[in-house]
Amino acid sequence: MSVRTLPLLFLNLGGEMLYILDQRLRAQNIPGDKARKVLNDIISTMFNRKFMEELFKPQELYSKKALRTIYDRLAHASIMRLNQASMDKLYDLMTMAFKYQVLLCPRPKDVLLVTFNHLDAIKGFIHDSPTILHQVDETFRQLTEVYGALSAGEFQLIRQTLLLFFQDLHIRVSIFLKDRVQNSNGRFVMPVSGPVPWGTEVPGLIRMFNHKGEEVKKIEFKHGGDYVTAPKEGSFELYGDRVLKLGTNMYSVHRPVETHMSGASKNLASRTQKSIAPNPLAKEELNFLARLMGGMEIKKPSGPEPGFRLNLFTTDEEEEHAALSRPEELSYEVINIQATQDQQRNEELARIMGELEVTEQPRQSTSKGDDLLAMMDEL
């Protein structure tokens, strides 16, 4: 596994989360000033300097539950609140969208272009907030510094690490089903047309060489697709044409975003329920979350602000039904950090927990510091 995968996973999933929240805020007719505040607060927290410093440290990926905890915190970093079912749906949409993008990347290095597409769109959300724009640009520079010099082999290892993370997720999404890029079992359809990876040729020709390296024979074959040469390479600069469209906002036009659990996901839930062995990485994940959340500093508002609930379903009844019908193993319940066993990290965890109000469910609040996260019961 690559130890350079976590920043790309976090930033791309975070970009998809912002796309979805922006679409739902508009769909529910949330006033523009409130919607902008929600996105600004989340993006400011997401690109916090200390948080990014922890994120970019070389480290292996942890479980989906550990990462889900971070997104719970992010989604509730403002006056907006999500019920558990809506948070589950949000995370499903985020993960399936980025999985699709990783699968379709023409070459492993293009996952960096996908990340830049997400950052470009995020900057569009905060174009009138220069301070937050600076935070995002700093992260862009970190990405360029860390990933700019990596070899094709290192990017291939990053791509394999991402695919391992996503391999058991086969949740059907209505957008993908309607566009016929996802089958009814939740697996994606790989295209056999379009541009080939930059620097490669359209398939259909075999060249043979002799021992002197001279071409001696050509054989043509039918490849069965409709491929074309890539027009140009996408820009890896701060500003430029990325060429690749993966990672752009597919919710910019109003479309329904229902999710459905496939049979494969149900079988996975059944197998997970039977396995009750403790997670050997539990302590490492706890330390990981403590460090990350310690960097996610959230400024409390100077005055009371009315909160509101965002529903990712069409009606409250649909949300309640989804909460009841979803297998417990796929709900990614939030971690409950207990700062009582390891004396060495007691002070840090106590400080973090002091900033949070640990409750069973998110509820209406007048303070961003209250009820930010319902921490998972246990790993």
Side-chain angles (χ1 to χ4, degrees), residues 6-8 10 15 25 41-42 58 70 78-79 84 93 112 127 144 147 166 234-235 257 271 341 367:
L6 183 60
L8 299 180
F10 174 80
L25 287 166
D41 287 344
I42 292 175
I70 303 301
S78 188
I79 55 177
Q84 183 69 36
L93 293 169
L112 195 54
H127 60 88
T144 304
Y147 296 95
F166 291 124
S235 172
V257 289
R271 292 197 304 271
Q341 296 180 357
S367 169

Side-chain angles (χ1 to χ4, degrees), residues 52-64:
M52 283 294 138
E53 287 175 359
E54 289 293 339
L55 192 72
F56 273 84
K57 290 178 181 178
Q59 54 195 302
E60 292 187 357
L61 292 185
Y62 291 86
S63 71
K64 297 176 182 65

Side-chain angles (χ1 to χ4, degrees), residues 7 26 113 174 195 289 307:
R26 286 185 282 108
L113 291 177
S174 61
L289 291 174

Side-chain angles (χ1 to χ4, degrees), residues 71-260:
Y71 292 108
D72 262 285
R73 171 99 187 241
L74 272 179
H76 295 97
S78 188
I79 55 177
M80 179 191 69
R81 295 292 172 263
L82 294 171
N83 285 347
Q84 183 69 36
S86 284
M87 190 67 219
D88 286 337
K89 179 177 179 179
L90 175 61
Y91 194 70
D92 287 345
L93 293 169
M94 291 158 51
T95 52
M96 294 307 292
F98 185 45
K99 177 181 179 178
Y100 179 62
Q101 293 157 15
V102 174
L103 285 170
L104 262 64
C105 274
R107 54 180 183 165
K109 185 179 180 180
D110 288 337
V111 72
L112 195 54
L113 291 177
V114 175
T115 309
F116 291 167
N117 274 336
H118 280 115
L119 293 187
D120 290 344
I122 288 171
K123 288 196 288 186
F125 290 138
I126 52 168
H127 60 88
D128 56 350
S129 303
T131 302
I132 309 177
L133 269 172
H134 178 71
Q135 290 179 259
V136 179
D137 284 342
E138 281 300 311
T139 298
F140 189 102
R141 294 185 183 94
Q142 281 183 281
L143 286 168
T144 304
E145 181 181 340
V146 172
Y147 296 95
L150 294 187
S151 66
E154 289 171 309
F155 273 109
Q156 174 64 8
L157 187 58
I158 287 173
R159 183 175 184 271
Q160 289 175 340
T161 304
L162 288 170
L163 292 177
L164 281 172
F165 180 83
F166 291 124
Q167 68 176 349
D168 292 324
L169 294 176
H170 306 294
I171 299 168
R172 294 176 294 156
V173 177
S174 61
I175 290 177
F176 296 138
L177 292 170
K178 289 175 181 177
D179 289 345
R180 298 184 179 180
V181 298
Q182 190 180 30
N183 291 324
S184 58
N185 61 4
R187 298 182 183 275
F188 288 110
V189 179
M190 304 306 294
V192 289
S193 62
V196 296
W198 172 255
T200 64
E201 298 179 5
V202 173
L205 183 65
I206 300 174
R207 294 186 176 93
M208 297 184 182
F209 301 83
N210 61 19
H211 66 283
K212 295 180 181 179
E214 299 169 340
E215 185 178 309
V216 296
K217 189 177 181 181
K218 290 182 180 179
I219 300 176
E220 293 186 357
F221 66 92
K222 293 183 179 181
H223 52 69
D226 185 19
Y227 298 105
V228 296
T229 304
K232 61 179 180 178
E233 185 177 27
S235 172
F236 290 88
E237 301 299 324
L238 180 59
Y239 301 99
D241 182 6
R242 312 299 178 196
V243 179
L244 194 70
K245 299 304 179 185
L246 297 172
T248 54
N249 190 352
M250 65 179 176
Y251 307 104
S252 54
V253 178
H254 178 70
R255 305 172 75 176
V257 289
E258 291 87 357
T259 57
H260 314 273

Side-chain angles (χ1 to χ4, degrees), residues 290-355:
R291 291 196 308 272
L292 284 185
M293 290 193 295
M296 294 176 70
E297 297 174 355
I298 297 179
K299 296 179 181 178
K300 295 186 178 183
S302 56
E305 298 177 74
F308 67 92
R309 183 172 70 87
L310 190 71
N311 189 349
L312 265 72
F313 296 84
T314 307
T315 64
D316 289 345
E317 289 73 19
E318 285 185 20
E319 185 180 51
E320 292 172 5
H321 176 72
L324 294 173
S325 60
R326 186 179 182 88
E328 184 180 353
E329 293 76 19
L330 293 182
S331 292
Y332 307 110
E333 291 180 358
V334 188
I335 294 174
N336 181 14
I337 295 180
Q338 298 290 342
T340 56
Q341 296 180 357
D342 192 338
Q343 183 65 32
Q344 191 173 6
R345 65 175 183 263
N346 265 358
E347 292 184 6
E348 175 69 5
L349 291 177
R351 182 185 67 77
I352 295 169
M353 294 183 71
E355 297 174 358

